[in-house]
Each structure stands twice: as structure tokens, then as C-alpha cells.
């Protein structure tokens, strides 16, 4: 060992020892913070599915590749990081000796070829990612950036380190080529040989370059160890665990569909026995999130995909799913020393720690502990109320997150505490909640008018109990029964089912709201009350039937989602289909035959709770494809990337006072297609988009109509959209 190698070996050992020690401390701190969260035992089942899903999403990049260029570049960088870690290991042999290399595999031409290719593609990939970050930098001309609010120096630092490590790998090999110590042939390592051709014959260059490579790598490790909230770096370790422990690993759209039940100490809350002094009602403190929630916050990559798709953020609201998660992450880690010392408030608000326990806690951590989780700037709150109540629960953030953060569950958990304990929520929503409690529907309409939509139809709509048997229970829903535009859809669906010879029945006055708006605003108590009533009614209606014959068809995606995905939590097991699914089946089997295509051009708006939350994209398009003259014109944002109408998350009953109206943004996109008909599959979407069209003064040029009404016009041209005789109409 020469003098140069002696120095490089000592320096490499010193910086590596420091880096590893700091990294171990950082990992222990992250684990300690995550363990502060509440129990969540459901995360540990179905190991095989969880492992398969985790490997598919990480090794296969199944979610990242939805953004094809970014996804492909990131895949090569990820593979380079994993595989070329072997070259960092090899550098430790090279600081000792210029001819050093990995034992066993170090001389294989195949190994040289693979690492060369990965080095080349990784370099191209990281350059692409750097260019994308620069092009989309915050404050750039031409629009809001998905990186707004991200810690940009961290992103540039990580990308620069990756690029530097890859470049140093080629320099090390180049010096080996120049000194004739390189064991791989030119055909396997062409770039390394090209680099070596221009480098001097400096034998110590191998060890010096190897030391620089190690120092760059260990500097990176030291920096992230000193910044445990540096998600842009830590996600490459934490993402595997966060994806493995996702809520529904076997379901497309995990974290969407059903909400998590309201939990206390790892168990669903029983409202009949619950006590606010001993049971947790929602989330009031950051440590009241589950451990998976704290892992979510730690794993955020700050990539901003969620932010770029969020309807609130895109229309000037203060909510960014990314910034919400980052605020919770930073708060959790700043408060952690206080919590780890035994601090914290019990459910009555009393301090749990003694003065002695808190005596040595950093004053900044004590100050962080005094911040309310929800509060305005004057209160020093972590999350502003306007942020919390801007969410439509559309799920675009969850859909786009490459590491499976469950934003909607966390937002609703915070809402639950605000509604149930603090009675703090937008005032106009109070009317809706009172109507649900007193009238069984959010509009406050009399229950005895639930069947008024049947008046004037030229056939009898049977009620459960009046017929001995029926194939489908037609769940009309509150909008379908009381809201004028939605009643047209209800009549159209009933007419089509009658025309196709489908036996169905309704509950009539026995039906009440499913509780969706109450649950998503955070009032779990009202949801449970309504849901238990409906489950009892439905179980009685389907008495004696097995699940596969307990069929429900619903026109409202919110009802569809609640009945099919959430009532099982309360003992209601049903086979629920959306009306577009049933209509598509009836058309494909010849039971409904479109005879006069509707013209004028049609575009289709995917409802969030039908498409993104429940993955139903094709059936509505199949119905429209059979009913219209021209092919359906897709909006730029469609299917799983569909833009929300603004009504979900109980926002239907809350006024939009900040920024641009979400429904107007969506209507402008729909109108840009040139279509004369905007087809929908949801009564909430119908209301919001109709209001948007009218707000644009385009009511005479563009019509918003349900898929069922489009089909009815094609099947029975002499029917108007209410199912009444009329002159033939076109789009």
C-alpha cells in the first residue's frame, strides 16, 4: 500500500464510520417517531399480497410509469442506486489498491456490461429528472408548479449526488483503463474505455477517484441523517414499507373507496359504548394518527404529483395535499422530543408527563407541543381550517401518490374531531347535517315525497313488499328522489329497466340517506345512525337471500360507494352495481337496442366516486358509444385523472368562497372539446356542471345530461328526458 492509498483508506474509513453512526441514529429516531402513532392491526394481514404488490410497485414502477417519461427516468435512477451500490462497495477495495475490485464477481464480463449499461442509463435518467425539476421550478412563467412548497435544495442536492456518483464511477474505471488495470473488454464497457482514452496514466488516480466517490456518498448519508424529514432522500428506504403496509394491497385504488372506520386504540369505535374521555374521536393531536399515518408523513417524496392533480390547489384554494402532509411531518418530528420524553395530553386535555420528565426537553419541542393541530395563523395552528375544509375527497392525491400515502383518510380523521368534539365546521353544512338527522335527506324534503318521481310514468314502479320477487332493488337516493334534475335520471333508468324487462323494486319511503355526506364531512355519528337504519331495512328486504342475490342498482356513485364498500362494516353485505354498469350489460345482451343515435358530439365526465374510487371507467363509455352518432370526445383530464366537479366530501353543501369555482374549471375543459352534450353518471356532478354551464352563459349551447338519459333518447326517440312522450331530440 502506497502513501496515497494509506491516506485514502484512512479518510474513507473515517467518513464512513461517522456517516454510518449518524445514519443508525437517524433510523432509530424515525422508528421512534412512527411508533408514537396509534395501533393499526389490520395492516399486517395477507403477507403474500402485500409482498407481491410492494415488489410490483417498486421494482415494476407500476404507479410511477403513469407519468411515462418521469417514471422511466426514475426507474433507471432507482436501479442505478440499488445495483451501483456494489460499485460504491467496490470503491472501498479501490482506495486500498488501484487494482482492487469486488471478489468473486469483479472480473466477470457480464457484470461489467450490466453495470456499464446501468451507469449510462442512470446518468441519462438523472439528467432528465434534473431538467424536469428545473423546467417545473416554482415561480416559473406559465403556471403553478407541482414543486411549489417542496424543499428545492434537497431535491437538487440528491440529484447532484446521484449524478456525481455515476460520473465518478466512470472516472474510476477510466483511470483503470489508462493504467492498464481494467479487467473488462471494450465491447462490455465502451464508455469506460472512452473515458480512459483521455485520462493520464496516473495509478493513484484510481484510489483518489474512489475516495471522492466514497466521500460524496457518505456526505449524502450524513446530510440525510441530520435531516430526518428529508423525504426526497428517505423515501428510497421508507417507500418499501409504506407500500407494503397500504390499506388494501389487493385492490386497485388502495386508500380509495371506503373510508377507514373511526378507530380508537386500534379498534372500530362503538358509539353505543364510546366515551369521549376514554375513547379517541377523530384526530386532535399528531400522535393520534396511526403509526401508518406517521409513516405516510415520513415517506412523502415532495414530488407534488398529488398537488398537480388536486382540484382545490388547481383553483386557488389553500389546500395542497403535499403541503398538508409536509406540515404534519414537520410538526410530528418537531414535537417528537416532547412526546418521547413522556409528554402528551390525555383525552381530557390534561398533561400526562411530570415536570421532571419534561425538565430537559428542548424549549422548541415544548412550544411545538402547544400548537393546535387545526387552527388559523393567529392561533399558530399546524393545519388551517380553510385547508381542511377545501378537500372534496375526490382521491386524486391518493391515486397519484407513488408511495401510497392515504391523504383522504387523514383529512377525514381530522374533520371527525372538529365536527364531533369541537362542533367546528362551515356553518352552511350545519343545515345539511340537521336535515339528515331530522328528515333523512340533506335537502330537508318531506319523506312522503320520496316516490313523487314515479308520477306520470306509463308503468307501475313496484315497491318492496308489494311484489314477491325482484332481481334488483333500485336504490333511488336522495338526489334521485328530491332534486329536479336528478329525478329525470331516475325516471330514465326506471323506464329503461322496464323496457328491458328487468324486474326491480324500490323502497320508497323506507329509503333514507346512505350517510355519505355526513361521513365525509366528519360526522361519523350521523352516518352510523343512518347506515344502521338502512342496513336493517335492506337486510329485511333481502331476507333469506344469499349475497350474490342481494342485488342493488344505484344511480348515485356516492350511494353506490357507501352501500357497496362501507355498509359491510355494519353488517350489510350486498352486490351493488352502478346504473351505467347494468345499462351497459343490457345493451350488450340485446335487451336494450339503441335505434337513433344522438348527434351533436358528446364528452363524458368521470365522477370521482365512480371512476377513481371504484375503477368504473368503461361501462358509461360503452353505453354512450352505442347511443351517439360520433365517438365520445375525451377531455384532457379523464378516467383516473378526471377532474372533480367540486361536490364531493360534502362540499355540495358548502359555499366556495376562495379561488375559482371547481365546477367552472371543469366546465371550461368540457366545453373546449366542442361537444354539445356533457354526459355524466352522478347527480352531484350533474348539478355542479349544470351550474357551471349556466354560469358561463352557455345553457343554450351545451347540455349536461346523465348517461341514462342519452341512452333513453336513442332507445326510445319519442321520449323526452323525463321518460314522457315527445318529439325526437338530438344532442
Amino acid at each position: 500500500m502506497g502513501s496515497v492509498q494509506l491516506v485514502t483508506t484512512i479518510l474513507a474509513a473515517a467518513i464512513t464510520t461517522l456517516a454510518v453512526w449518524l445514519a443508525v441514529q437517524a433510523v432509530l429516531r424515525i422508528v421512534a417517531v412512527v411508533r408514537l402513532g396509534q395501533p393499526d392491526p389490520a395492516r399486517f394481514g395477507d403477507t403474500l399480497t402485500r409482498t407481491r404488490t410492494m415488489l410490483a410497485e417498486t421494482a415494476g414502477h407500476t404507479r410511477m410509469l403513469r407519468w411515462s417519461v418521469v417514471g422511466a427516468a426514475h426507474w433507471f435512477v432507482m436501479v442505478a442506486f440499488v445495483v451501483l451500490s456494489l460499485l460504491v462497495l467496490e470503491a472501498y477495495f479501490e482506495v486500498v489498491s488501484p487494482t482492487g475490485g469486488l471478489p468473486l464477481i469483479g472480473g466477470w464480463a457480464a457484470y461489467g456490461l450490466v453495470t456499464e449499461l446501468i451507469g449510462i442509463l442512470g446518468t441519462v435518467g438523472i439528467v432528465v429528472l434534473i431538467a424536469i425539476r428545473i423546467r417545473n421550478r416554482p415561480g416559473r412563467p406559465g403556471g403553478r408548479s407541482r414543486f411549489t412548497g417542496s424543499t428545492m435544495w434537497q431535491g437538487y442536492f440528491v440529484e447532484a449526488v446521484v449524478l456525481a456518483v455515476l460520473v465518478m464511477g466512470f472516472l474510476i474505471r477510466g483511470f483503470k483503463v489508462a493504467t492498464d488495470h481494467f479487467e473488462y473488454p471494450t465491447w462490455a464497457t465502451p464508455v469506460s474505455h472512452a473515458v480512459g482514452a483521455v485520462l493520464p496514466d496516473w495509478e493513484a488516480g484510481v484510489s483518489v477517484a474512489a475516495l471522492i466517490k466514497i466521500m460524496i456518498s457518505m456526505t449524502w448519508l450524513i446530510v440525510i441523517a441530520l435531516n430526518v424529514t428529508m423525504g426526497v432522500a428517505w423515501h428510497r428506504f421508507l417507500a418499501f414499507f409504506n407500500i407494503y403496509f397500504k390499506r388494501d394491497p389487493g385492490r386497485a385504488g388502495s386508500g380509495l373507496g371506503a373510508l377507514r372506520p373511526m378507530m380508537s386504540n386500534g379498534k372500530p369505535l362503538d358509539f353505543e359504548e364510546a366515551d369521549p374521555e376514554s375513547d379517541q374521536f377523530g384526530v386532535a393531536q399528531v400522535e393520534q394518527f396511526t403509526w401508518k399515518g406517521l409513516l405516510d408523513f415520513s415517506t412523502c417524496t415532495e414530488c407534488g404529483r398529488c398537488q398537480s392533480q388536486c382540484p382545490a390547489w388547481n383553483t386557488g384554494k389553500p389546500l395542497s395535499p403535499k403541503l398538508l402532509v409536509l406540515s404534519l411531518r414537520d410538526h410530528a418530528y418537531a414535537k417528537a422530543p416532547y412526546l418521547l420524553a413522556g409528554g402528551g395530553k390525555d383525552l381530557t386535555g390534561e398533561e400526562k408527563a411530570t415536570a421532571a420528565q419534561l425538565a430537559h426537553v428542548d424549549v422548541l419541542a415544548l412550544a411545538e407541543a402547544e400548537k393546535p393541530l387545526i387552527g388559523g395563523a393567529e392561533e399558530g395552528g399546524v393545519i388551517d381550517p380553510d385547508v381542511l375544509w377545501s378537500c372534496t375527497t375526490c382521491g386524486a392525491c391518493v391515486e397519484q401518490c407513488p408511495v401510497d400515502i392515504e391523504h383522504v383518510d387523514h383529512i377525514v380523521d381530522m374533520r371527525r374531531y372538529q365536527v364531533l368534539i369541537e362542533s367546528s365546521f362551515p356553518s352552511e353544512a350545519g343545515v345539511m347535517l340537521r336535515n339528515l338527522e331530522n328528515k333523512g335527506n340533506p335537502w330537508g324534503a318531506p319523506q312522503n315525497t320520496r316516490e313523487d318521481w314515479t308520477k306520470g310514468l306509463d308503468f307501475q314502479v313496484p315497491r318492496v313488499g308489494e311484489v314477491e320477487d325482484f332481481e334488483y332493488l333500485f336504490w333511488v337516493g336522495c338526489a334521485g328522489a328530491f332534486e329536479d334534475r336528478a329525478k329525470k335520471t331516475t325516471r330514465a333508468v326506471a323506464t329503461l329497466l322496464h323496457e328491458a324487462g328487468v324486474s326491480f323494486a324500490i323502497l320508497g319511503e323506507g329509503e333514507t340517506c346512505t350517510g355519505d355526506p355526513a361521513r365525509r364531512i366528519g360526522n361519523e355519528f350521523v352516518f352510523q345512525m343512518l347506515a344502521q337504519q338502512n342496513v336493517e331495512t335492506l337486510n329485511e328486504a333481502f331476507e333469506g337471500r344469499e349475497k350474490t342475490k342481494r342485488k342493488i342498482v344505484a344511480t348515485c356513485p356516492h350511494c353506490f360507494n357507501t352501500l357497496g364498500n362501507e355498509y359491510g362494516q355494519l353488517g350489510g353485505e350486498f352486490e351493488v352495481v352502478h346504473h351505467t354498469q347494468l345499462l351497459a350489460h343490457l345493451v350488450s345482451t340485446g335487451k336494450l337496442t339503441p335505434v337513433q343515435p344522438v348527434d351533436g358530439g358528446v364528452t363524458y365526465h368521470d365522477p370521482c366516486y365512480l371512476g377513481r374510487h371504484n375503477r368504473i371507467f368503461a361501462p358509461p363509455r360503452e353505453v354512450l358509444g352505442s347511443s351517439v352518432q360520433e365517438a365520445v370526445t375525451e377531455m384532457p383530464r379523464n378516467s383516473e385523472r378526471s377532474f372533480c366537479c367540486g361536490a364531493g366530501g360534502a362540499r355540495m353543501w358548502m359555499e366556495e368562497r376562495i379561488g375559482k369555482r371547481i365546477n367552472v374549471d371543469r366546465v371550461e375543459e368540457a366545453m373546449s372539446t366542442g361537444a354539445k352534450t356533457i354526459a355524466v353518471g352522478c347527480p352531484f356532478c350533474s348539478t355542479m356542471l349544470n351550474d357551471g354551464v349556466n354560469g358561463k352563459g352557455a345553457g343554450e349551447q351545451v347540455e349536461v345530461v346523465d348517461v341514462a338519459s342519452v341512452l333513453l333518447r336513442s332507445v326510445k326517440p319519442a321520449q323526452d328526458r323525463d321518460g314522457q312522450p315527445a318529439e325526437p331530440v338530438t344532442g
Side-chain angles (χ1 to χ4, degrees):
M1 179 185 295
S3 57
V4 172
Q5 284 72 39
L6 181 62
V7 172
T8 56
T9 301
I10 292 172
L11 291 176
I15 194 170
T16 301
T17 301
L18 175 62
V20 170
W21 184 83
L22 289 173
V24 169
Q25 300 306 307
V27 169
L28 292 175
R29 185 181 175 196
I30 291 171
V31 171
V33 170
V34 170
R35 291 183 65 186
L36 289 169
Q38 299 303 301
D40 196 353
R43 303 284 179 172
F44 295 94
D46 201 355
T47 302
L48 182 61
T49 301
R50 290 185 180 279
T51 303
R52 188 188 305 118
T53 301
M54 182 269 289
L55 291 174
E57 290 193 22
T58 53
H61 259 41
T62 51
R63 293 172 74 87
M64 284 292 298
L65 285 170
R66 294 174 182 175
W67 294 42
S68 54
V69 174
V70 176
H74 189 276
W75 187 85
F76 287 121
V77 171
M78 180 200 71
V79 172
F81 178 83
V82 174
V83 175
L84 298 187
S85 296
L86 290 173
L87 294 185
V88 176
L89 176 60
E90 187 174 28
Y92 285 94
F93 292 90
E94 292 161 340
V95 295
V96 176
S97 170
T99 60
L102 285 178
L104 300 179
I105 63 173
W108 291 358
Y111 172 73
L113 173 63
V114 169
T115 50
E116 184 89 353
L117 288 174
I118 292 174
I120 295 168
L121 295 172
T123 302
V124 172
I126 198 63
V127 169
V128 169
L129 293 181
I130 291 171
I132 289 172
R133 186 177 294 272
I134 293 173
R135 188 185 65 193
N136 291 281
R137 68 192 182 280
R140 79 197 194 290
R144 306 181 83 176
S145 167
R146 65 183 175 96
F147 292 116
T148 299
S150 298
T151 315
M152 293 300 287
W153 76 262
Q154 294 180 355
Y156 288 128
F157 170 75
V158 168
E159 289 165 346
V161 165
V162 173
L163 180 59
V165 168
L166 289 166
V167 170
M168 292 310 301
F170 285 114
L171 279 176
I172 293 170
R173 287 185 163 189
F175 275 118
K176 283 190 171 183
V177 170
T179 56
D180 201 25
H181 294 317
F182 197 47
E183 59 267 60
Y184 304 114
T186 304
W187 65 264
T189 53
V191 174
S192 297
H193 279 271
V195 172
V198 298
L199 290 177
D201 182 1
W202 181 34
E203 192 156 316
V206 175
S207 297
V208 172
L211 174 64
I212 294 172
K213 182 174 183 176
I214 290 170
M215 292 186 72
I216 292 171
S217 300
M218 293 304 109
T219 299
W220 174 81
L221 191 56
I222 290 169
V223 170
I224 73 167
L226 296 174
N227 293 273
V228 290
T229 58
M230 193 171 175
V232 70
W234 280 105
H235 83 273
R236 65 190 59 197
F237 306 112
L238 299 178
F240 299 99
F241 301 98
N242 210 53
I243 294 168
Y244 179 87
F245 289 115
K246 61 161 51 177
R247 177 148 63 90
D248 302 303
R251 180 183 186 273
S254 174
L256 297 173
L259 282 173
R260 288 179 70 251
M262 196 163 165
M263 308 290 284
S264 179
N265 197 32
K267 298 178 181 178
L269 193 66
D270 184 346
F271 276 92
E272 294 184 2
E273 301 178 359
D275 180 356
E277 293 189 2
S278 58
D279 290 303
Q280 181 179 317
F281 280 60
V283 169
Q285 304 288 336
V286 73
E287 65 271 21
Q288 292 178 347
F289 287 106
T290 67
W291 62 263
K292 175 56 167 64
L294 295 178
L295 181 59
D296 272 357
F297 309 152
S298 303
T299 309
C300 179
T301 72
E302 303 190 23
C303 67
R305 285 171 176 77
C306 58
Q307 182 171 285
S308 72
Q309 303 295 303
C310 176
W313 177 259
N314 277 283
T315 53
K317 315 292 190 294
L319 168 64
S320 155
K322 177 187 72 178
L323 298 181
L324 179 139
V325 166
L326 297 186
S327 295
L328 292 171
R329 178 198 68 189
D330 293 345
H331 174 59
Y333 280 88
K335 187 178 179 180
Y338 158 78
L339 296 171
L340 292 170
K345 302 291 195 300
D346 63 22
L347 294 173
T348 64
E350 295 297 320
E351 176 59 58
K352 294 186 289 187
T354 64
Q357 287 176 296
L358 301 180
H360 302 292
V361 175
D362 184 83
V363 65
L364 294 177
L366 293 173
E368 194 74 26
E370 294 302 314
K371 289 184 178 181
L373 190 65
I374 306 299
E378 66 282 357
E379 303 164 285
V382 178
I383 303 297
D384 191 277
D386 284 335
V387 169
L388 188 66
W389 298 110
S390 292
C391 179
T392 67
T393 70
C394 71
C397 50
V398 180
E399 174 73 31
Q400 290 299 324
C401 181
V403 294
D404 286 298
I405 293 171
E406 296 161 3
H407 312 72
V408 173
D409 284 341
H410 304 321
I411 288 171
V412 172
D413 272 340
M414 290 186 284
R415 285 182 171 187
R416 285 166 168 167
Y417 181 83
Q418 293 300 304
V419 172
L420 294 171
I421 302 300
E422 297 291 337
S423 296
S424 176
F425 49 87
S427 57
E428 59 266 33
V431 177
M432 178 269 291
L433 290 172
R434 286 193 295 273
N435 285 337
L436 287 177
E437 288 191 75
N438 300 327
K439 299 290 188 179
N441 68 84
W443 283 276
Q447 186 70 356
N448 61 8
T449 62
R450 269 198 180 268
E451 300 178 36
D452 284 2
W453 65 269
T454 64
K455 295 177 180 177
L457 292 175
D458 58 4
F459 58 92
Q460 188 69 31
V461 177
R463 280 75 174 167
V464 171
E466 296 178 357
V467 290
E468 292 185 3
D469 196 18
F470 54 89
E471 184 179 3
Y472 287 94
L473 188 150
F474 180 16
W475 185 272
V476 176
C478 299
F482 301 121
E483 204 274 327
D484 288 340
R485 282 170 291 207
K487 282 196 281 187
K488 298 172 183 178
T489 301
T490 307
R491 295 165 68 89
V493 171
T495 301
L496 289 166
L497 294 182
H498 176 74
E499 182 75 12
V502 176
S503 61
F504 69 96
I506 62 172
L507 289 172
E509 294 183 27
E511 184 180 300
T512 191
C513 181
T514 60
D516 165 84
R519 187 169 226 197
R520 273 142 185 88
I521 202 173
N523 197 324
E524 186 74 4
F525 177 78
V526 170
F527 166 74
Q528 296 265 351
M529 178 185 72
L530 294 168
Q532 287 171 357
Q533 178 181 337
N534 281 325
V535 167
E536 184 178 337
T537 300
L538 290 167
N539 283 340
E540 183 178 340
F542 289 121
E543 188 174 1
R545 297 194 191 190
E546 57 191 65
K547 181 183 177 181
T548 55
K549 295 183 179 179
R550 296 156 67 93
K551 297 180 181 179
I552 299 174
V553 58
T555 57
C556 175
H558 298 263
C559 295
F560 165 77
N561 180 69
T562 305
L563 291 165
N565 294 329
E566 298 185 337
Y567 275 17
Q569 299 169 2
L570 300 169
E573 297 289 339
F574 314 109
E575 289 288 335
V576 187
V577 299
H578 189 251
H579 71 283
T580 58
Q581 291 177 290
L582 181 54
L583 295 178
H585 171 71
L586 295 174
V587 170
S588 67
T589 56
K591 294 183 179 179
L592 288 175
T593 305
V595 294
Q596 181 174 308
V598 175
D599 60 18
V602 175
T603 190
Y604 174 65
H605 164 78
D606 288 274
C608 300
Y609 273 82
L610 184 64
R612 199 156 35 236
H613 279 274
N614 285 284
R615 327 309 292 179
I616 297 172
F617 304 115
R621 290 173 169 81
E622 290 169 1
V623 173
L624 292 172
S626 69
S627 309
V628 299
Q629 188 77 44
E630 307 165 19
V632 175
T633 304
E634 295 286 4
M635 288 183 250
R637 295 176 290 191
N638 64 79
S639 301
E640 69 274 3
R641 290 196 187 184
S642 179
F643 195 72
C644 182
C645 73
R651 289 292 324 175
M652 179 88 167
W653 292 274
M654 291 183 259
E655 187 57 46
E656 271 188 79
R657 297 188 174 90
I658 304 173
K660 183 179 182 181
R661 294 183 67 88
I662 294 172
N663 61 332
V664 171
D665 191 293
R666 186 57 166 168
V667 161
E668 288 174 352
E669 183 175 5
M671 292 175 63
S672 71
T673 66
K676 300 302 181 184
T677 299
I678 304 173
V680 298
C682 171
F684 290 5
C685 296
S686 177
T687 296
M688 298 300 285
L689 298 185
N690 262 301
D691 289 350
V693 167
N694 292 333
K696 297 289 293 182
E700 296 298 319
Q701 295 82 41
V702 179
E703 180 186 21
V704 179
V705 64
D706 191 88
V707 171
S709 295
V710 175
L711 178 61
L712 180 61
R713 297 178 188 186
S714 182
V715 170
K716 302 184 73 173
Q719 298 271 322
D720 72 8
R721 71 195 68 173
D722 295 322
Q724 297 298 311
E727 294 299 318
V729 294
T730 60

